[in-house]
Amino acid sequence: MPETDQMILRVEDLAVHFPLGGGLLGGKRRTVHAVDGVDLHLRKGECLGLVGESGCGKSTLALSILGLQAPTRGRVLLDGVDIAAPGVDRKARARIVQMVFQDPYSSLNPRQTVRRTLEDPLRLHGITDKAEVDGRIEEMLRHVGLRPEQAARYPHEFSGGQRQRIGIARALILKPKIVVLDEPVSALDVSIRAQIINLLLELKETMELSYIMISHDLGVVEHMSDRVAVMYLGRIVETGGWHTIFTAPRHPYTRALIAAIPDPFGERPGVKISGELPNPLEPPSGCRFHPRCPEVRDICRKPPTPALGEIAPDHEVRCLRAAELV
């Protein structure tokens, strides 16, 4: 665990539950445990990759970190301030953490020029001096590889890669400390992805940013991340440095994700899994991964759920057999 002064973000026992009604016939009320007891930390200047199948809770966790989803329990500490607590200034939170969205086509207002897109957050946060606004917009456009004169154009006049650059500029215009990247290159052509990845890495260094990157593309995660957190059915099942996760994963689910990455040399560890993510309304007892796990034993099926335990410095695994799966 890093020293506190190295951390810009701590997520402590975070849970987000969505109760469902019984319907017209008065059936039993049930609860979706979208996020169920997550602990995470983010160091200053690092990129934390958050991976897992669709429906595992990654986006809900990200919304809670952004302050857009109230947690059922737990804390989200940004610079030591619990943004989930009542009465927290939303504007102050927005100056700390921002988001780059997945789809550059739908995330920009087609009726607004680039200038208006970048100007609105500044004015909302009390920056109204024209010279300062103009200077911030020009500077940010240059940072993301666009020309200042392009600020007068509308989104439809740009390519997909250029639109994502505008989305990045909008996220960074308030100079946040943390940026949540939600599948930042998945909607782009393959030829453009490397450009945007390199841009994000360059901006992380020049602007001293910290990233949380949500992605299904483990190749992108491997390239960009300093550390990786693997999520399954609302819980973190393994965290560690990128090299540890990609070369010596201990949780069977992590091993299966790594094995699914195309590898022409056949050197990826792990085996593939079958089946689909279980119903979050009725999570399995014991280890939640046991119905799909190729390494399952009887003890894995029995309560309680395994705890997330440290097996090496900065390497934690939620598996009863982690010590055996080397």
Side-chain angles (χ1 to χ4, degrees), residues 32-257:
V32 176
H33 294 73
V35 178
D36 202 15
V38 166
D39 293 286
L40 279 179
H41 65 266
L42 179 69
R43 298 184 180 102
K44 293 180 180 179
E46 79 172 354
C47 177
L48 173 66
L50 185 61
V51 302
E53 294 167 284
S54 296
C56 72
K58 302 187 305 295
S59 295
T60 303
L61 174 59
L63 291 175
S64 295
I65 292 171
L66 287 158
L68 301 177
Q69 174 63 57
T72 305
R73 72 168 190 272
R75 302 197 301 170
V76 179
L77 301 171
L78 290 173
D79 266 352
V81 177
D82 184 6
I83 66 163
V88 173
D89 184 354
R90 294 188 64 182
K91 289 185 179 180
R93 180 177 59 222
R95 289 191 291 269
I96 298 176
V97 58
Q98 283 287 323
M99 185 171 190
V100 174
F101 295 91
Q102 175 179 359
D103 188 353
Y105 296 92
S106 63
S107 62
L108 299 175
N109 188 334
R111 296 181 176 86
Q112 286 189 347
T113 63
V114 171
R115 176 184 172 81
R116 180 65 184 276
T117 296
L118 301 182
E119 182 183 66
D120 280 352
L122 295 173
R123 296 195 178 280
L124 182 63
H125 287 262
I127 302 172
T128 58
D129 179 76
K130 186 177 185 304
E132 183 177 359
V133 169
D134 289 346
R136 293 272 286 265
I137 291 175
E138 179 177 340
E139 177 188 31
M140 191 51 60
L141 287 175
R142 292 189 187 279
H143 270 312
V144 300
L146 296 173
R147 301 188 306 276
E149 58 266 27
Q150 291 178 298
R153 299 183 184 179
Y154 289 86
H156 73 270
E157 300 179 74
F158 295 92
S159 67
Q162 289 174 319
R163 292 188 200 193
Q164 193 62 305
R165 291 174 187 267
I166 297 167
I168 294 169
R170 177 180 58 187
L172 299 183
I173 195 72
L174 292 173
K175 299 181 179 179
K177 298 178 180 180
I178 300 173
V179 180
V180 177
L181 306 171
D182 184 10
E183 300 277 4
V185 298
S186 64
L188 303 177
D189 292 341
V190 174
S191 59
I192 304 299
R193 292 182 183 182
Q195 296 178 22
I196 299 301
I197 290 170
N198 290 334
L199 171 64
L200 289 168
L201 290 173
E202 178 184 334
L203 290 169
K204 184 167 79 74
E205 297 300 321
T206 58
M207 299 186 68
E208 298 182 343
L209 299 168
S210 303
Y211 289 156
I212 297 175
M213 186 178 66
I214 301 169
S215 182
H216 289 87
D217 189 336
L218 270 71
V220 174
V221 172
E222 184 176 16
H223 184 69
M224 285 192 64
S225 298
D226 300 294
R227 289 190 305 113
V228 179
V230 182
M231 198 166 182
Y232 185 80
L233 208 62
R235 292 179 172 173
I236 301 297
V237 297
E238 187 164 6
T239 66
W242 75 267
H243 186 267
T244 297
I245 294 297
F246 282 91
T247 63
R250 290 293 190 91
H251 197 285
Y253 180 61
T254 308
R255 293 158 71 97
L257 292 178

